[in-house]
Amino acid sequence: MAPTKIYGLNMSTCTKRVLTTLEEKAVADYELIPVDLGKGEHKSEEFKKKQPFGVIPYLDDGDVQVFESRAIARYISDKHAGQGTELLGSTLKERALVNQWLEVEAQNYNSPISQLIAEKVFKPMFGGGEPDQAKAAEHKARLSTVLDVYEAHLANNEYLAGSAFSLADLSHLPYTAMLWVSGDSDLITSRPNVNKWWERITSRPSWKKISALQ
């Protein structure tokens, strides 16, 4: 059987979400195929046959092709349900809570953190000029409000969906790690419960391996 192919980049936050999922599910037979963003490979007609929006990553798994990193992570978790870490929950209640916090990450958390990182890290990195500090402050304030909810929730829960690490926790890893690059790690470290949760999820071998990739 051919290996699962992931078209993306090590440095990409969304690619890291997928690769960390593969590691948690103990999938050894996968291949990362680099996409040259500098040459615009992701905008080529050939690439857009697989990912019509022209962004990374996408998965090619034989007769299954999936784009959007959260959908790819769910697919991997479902396909390899009998091995590695159970990421989706093993009971109806657990699955409901995992899905709930996956939606929180996608609908409430991702918008302010991705905009904050885009403004303070990616904008100057890719020649877009200096960060707009007013915009960055607005994004940070929005994220702070979201994290207040997390702080209260994590006072009584070791992980987002209860007592076990899940895809809901994993999905937060790539962008949250970028707060240390943007100079906004205080959003995490100033909240004791969030900080303990962060230390727990970043100590996992899967994340240590993937976050070290360059």
Side-chain angles (χ1 to χ4, degrees):
M1 180 179 291
T4 299
K5 296 178 181 179
I6 306 297
Y7 291 77
L9 282 177
N10 288 334
M11 66 176 291
S12 155
T13 52
C14 292
T15 303
K16 286 181 178 179
R17 177 180 289 119
V18 171
L19 298 180
T20 305
T21 304
L22 285 162
E23 291 294 326
E24 283 288 341
K25 296 306 295 180
V27 179
D29 195 20
Y30 71 86
E31 179 183 1
L32 176 64
I33 299 176
V35 178
D36 193 333
L37 303 187
K39 293 183 178 179
E41 186 178 342
H42 57 308
K43 301 300 183 183
S44 69
E45 290 304 312
E46 187 62 29
F47 185 91
K48 289 170 76 173
K49 289 178 183 177
K50 301 289 188 180
Q51 216 300 5
F53 299 102
V55 295
I56 56 173
Y58 81 79
L59 169 146
D60 187 338
D61 193 27
D63 62 346
V64 177
Q65 288 79 43
V66 184
F67 59 84
E68 294 296 338
S69 64
R70 293 169 184 82
I72 295 170
R74 283 187 173 99
Y75 168 77
I76 293 166
S77 300
D78 275 328
K79 179 181 177 181
H80 301 283
Q83 67 186 59
T85 306
E86 176 50 73
L87 293 175
L88 298 177
S90 56
T91 68
L92 181 61
K93 179 180 179 180
E94 289 172 358
R95 291 179 73 90
L97 291 174
V98 171
N99 284 329
Q100 171 183 275
W101 283 96
L102 280 169
E103 287 300 311
V104 171
E105 186 275 327
Q107 305 298 330
N108 299 90
Y109 191 85
N110 184 67
S111 176
I113 195 169
S114 63
Q115 290 181 73
L116 176 61
I117 298 306
E119 188 64 44
K120 295 187 72 174
V121 179
F122 297 144
K123 183 179 179 180
M125 181 184 293
F126 294 110
E130 292 299 310
D132 184 321
Q133 296 300 335
K135 287 183 179 179
E138 179 184 341
H139 301 321
K140 186 170 183 175
R142 288 173 55 217
L143 182 57
S144 182
T145 299
V146 174
L147 281 166
D148 286 342
V149 176
Y150 281 56
E151 178 68 9
H153 176 71
L154 289 165
N156 300 307
N157 296 276
E158 190 173 0
Y159 297 98
L160 290 174
S163 60
F165 178 80
S166 73
L167 193 59
D169 304 291
L170 186 156
S171 199
H172 288 76
L173 283 164
Y175 261 114
T176 306
M178 295 297 293
L179 294 175
W180 274 257
V181 181
S182 70
D184 297 295
S185 61
D186 59 294
L187 284 164
I188 303 300
T189 59
S190 65
R191 294 172 168 83
N193 299 321
V194 170
N195 193 52
K196 289 176 185 177
W197 165 73
W198 181 246
E199 290 176 349
R200 279 193 289 271
I201 67 175
T202 54
S203 69
R204 299 184 70 83
S206 63
W207 177 246
K208 286 184 176 181
K209 176 179 178 179
I210 297 306
S211 62
L213 296 176
Q214 300 296 327

